[in-house]
Amino acid sequence: MSVMELVRDNIRALEPYRCARDDFKGTAEVFLDANESWKEYVGDEGINRYPDPRSEKLVAKAVEVLGLPEGHVAAGSGSDELIDLLIRIFCTPGKDCILLLPPTYGAYKVFASINDVKIEKVLLKDDFSLDEEAIKTALDRYSPKLLFICSPNNPTGNSMDPEAIRRIAEYNRGITIVDEAYQDFSEKASAVSIVHGNERVVVLRTLSKAWGLAGARIGFAIASEEVIGLIRNVKYPYNLGLPSQSEGIKALSQAAAVRAEVSNTVKERERVAGILSSSYDVIPSDANFLLVRIPEAERVYETLKQKGIITRLRSHEPKCQDGIRITIGSKAENDRLLAALEEISGGR
Ligand SMILES: *Cc1c(COP(=O)(O)O)cnc(C)c1O
């Protein structure tokens, strides 16, 4: 099926909003077209003007630094905005469904529910890999508009087999979304290369994790020109503020420094995993967190909290019995966590 056949009828028919700067492109000296303030009374240079609707400089920097295909990238206010947009572009409320592969990122389900879009599920296997046969069966049975594959997966940390992703995306007649929020921490192949041969594949990236910009809200969708065009038409015209666009460009310009930090985090992850695995079952991670099975997880989580250490209790997620998700912090923070866990298990 073509992308346009999958789109909601009202979105296919949409006459997109045109902002002042869409109607005038070029150079001029006097801008009296957008009801802006004529100067910046407060804040940084240029803040009185509406930002670039397409975040073009930021996107160009991301294309260069992250090695993304030019013309196939759209920026979002975090990848969360892009997840919500994709649901709104393709899923008719009260009618269509999406397919999720739990245990996975919780926002997919919430955004679908907000949009009155149904959820179908196929669990990951016991080792948290993709259950290809079950996924294909569910694709046939439910014809979901969207399939979300998270790789490396949150909250388990493992990457999915890139060849399995390719096969599933090929089989899927709907849209396959590969959420690569943690790809920067992984050595495994990205799904970006699949985008070229398959107009129904969307890869999501974010600057919130490895790039240290969770506060700036910057995400990217990498997809066919059709999907990128739809995202541009449906998003808020000015979805990224000027400060966010500038922070993003600044971070991407310091790629070497950021990559050194990422490699330290990966080393720290392996150190912490090594220590924890002498007492607990630690799921091998390609991300900046570990899913650790700790007996009496709920009690341990509460005790850690009392000690001022906040982790994420995931024990109620499918196949995550006793699971606590622990983000890799500074060496000092990680050592505090390890000492607290030692105390808790010693005091049992
Ligand atoms: C954190 C996270 C996101 C959201 O990232 P933002 O860009 O901050 O919105 C998306 N997907 C997964 C799997 C995440 O863990």
Side-chain angles (χ1 to χ4, degrees), residues 6 12 15 32 41 63 84 99 165 199 237 243 258 261 263 277 286 303 311 316-317 320 330 339:
L6 289 162
R12 200 182 307 114
E15 179 86 49
L32 302 179
Y41 304 108
V63 163
D84 181 56
L99 183 61
I165 294 177
E199 61 167 13
V258 169
E261 293 293 344
S263 121
S277 60
D286 288 324
T303 313
T311 56
H316 299 297
E317 297 297 308
C320 292
S330 69

Side-chain angles (χ1 to χ4, degrees), residues 76-83 104-108 111 149-155 179-182 204-209 213-220 288-289 325:
S77 175
S79 42
D80 278 350
E81 183 196 21
L82 297 163
I83 294 166
T104 194
Y105 185 46
Y108 311 138
F111 294 157
I149 300 176
C150 189
S151 180
N153 187 42
N154 181 1
D179 185 344
E180 293 189 339
Y182 301 95
L204 300 178
R205 294 281 185 85
T206 178
L207 299 189
S208 294
K209 308 287 163 56
L213 288 190
R217 313 304 306 127
I218 301 167
F220 298 106
N288 64 337
F289 59 83
R325 195 192 70 192

Side-chain angles (χ1 to χ4, degrees), residues 42 73 111 131 186 188 210 264:
V42 289
V73 181
F111 294 157
D131 190 341
S186 173
K188 312 266 163 61
N264 284 334

Side-chain angles (χ1 to χ4, degrees), residues 290-292 294 297 300-301 311-313 322-326:
L290 294 166
L291 185 69
V292 187
I294 305 182
V300 172
Y301 166 79
T311 56
R312 194 97 156 112
L313 185 66
D322 294 330
I324 296 183
R325 195 192 70 192
I326 302 170

Side-chain angles (χ1 to χ4, degrees), residues 241-304:
L242 179 69
S244 289
Q245 295 186 30
S246 308
E247 286 297 321
I249 293 166
K250 206 160 84 186
L252 290 163
S253 306
Q254 297 168 45
V258 169
R259 287 189 176 125
E261 293 293 344
V262 167
S263 121
N264 284 334
T265 300
V266 168
K267 278 192 210 121
E268 245 326 84
R269 178 190 77 205
E270 292 312 302
R271 180 182 78 91
V272 174
I275 295 169
L276 288 175
S277 60
S278 64
S279 309
Y280 310 109
D281 179 18
V282 181
I283 314 303
S285 171
D286 288 324
N288 64 337
F289 59 83
L290 294 166
L291 185 69
V292 187
R293 292 190 200 273
I294 305 182
E296 297 180 65
E298 216 156 320
R299 185 184 67 85
V300 172
Y301 166 79
E302 289 297 335
T303 313
L304 285 171

Side-chain angles (χ1 to χ4, degrees), residues 99-250:
L99 183 61
L100 301 183
L101 312 176
T104 194
Y105 185 46
Y108 311 138
K109 184 167 118 189
V110 177
F111 294 157
S113 302
I114 291 168
N115 288 294
D116 193 19
V117 166
K118 277 176 287 185
I119 293 144
E120 300 295 345
K121 294 173 186 168
V122 172
L123 294 189
L124 296 173
K125 291 185 179 172
D126 288 345
D127 64 356
F128 301 122
S129 63
L130 296 168
D131 190 341
E132 256 185 275
E133 287 318 305
I135 291 168
K136 287 179 181 169
T137 305
L139 290 172
D140 290 339
R141 180 179 306 163
Y142 303 116
S143 302
K145 281 292 184 71
L146 309 176
L147 162 65
F148 282 91
I149 300 176
C150 189
S151 180
N153 187 42
N154 181 1
T156 58
N158 63 299
S159 301
M160 304 304 160
D161 172 13
E163 281 311 309
I165 294 177
R166 184 189 297 275
R167 284 191 297 269
I168 291 167
E170 197 61 45
Y171 189 86
N172 184 10
R173 287 176 307 156
I175 304 287
T176 301
I177 298 163
V178 187
D179 185 344
E180 293 189 339
Y182 301 95
Q183 180 62 29
D184 308 82
F185 299 102
S186 173
E187 313 257 274
K188 312 266 163 61
S190 159
V192 166
S193 64
I194 311 178
V195 168
H196 297 288
N198 188 333
E199 61 167 13
R200 300 181 316 283
V201 173
V202 183
V203 176
L204 300 178
R205 294 281 185 85
T206 178
L207 299 189
S208 294
K209 308 287 163 56
W211 291 86
L213 288 190
R217 313 304 306 127
I218 301 167
F220 298 106
I222 302 99
S224 57
E225 282 169 14
E226 287 85 349
V227 172
I228 297 299
L230 287 159
I231 290 173
R232 283 182 184 150
N233 290 349
V234 176
K235 73 180 184 64
Y236 288 158
Y238 307 106
N239 58 334
L240 266 80
L242 179 69
S244 289
Q245 295 186 30
S246 308
E247 286 297 321
I249 293 166
K250 206 160 84 186

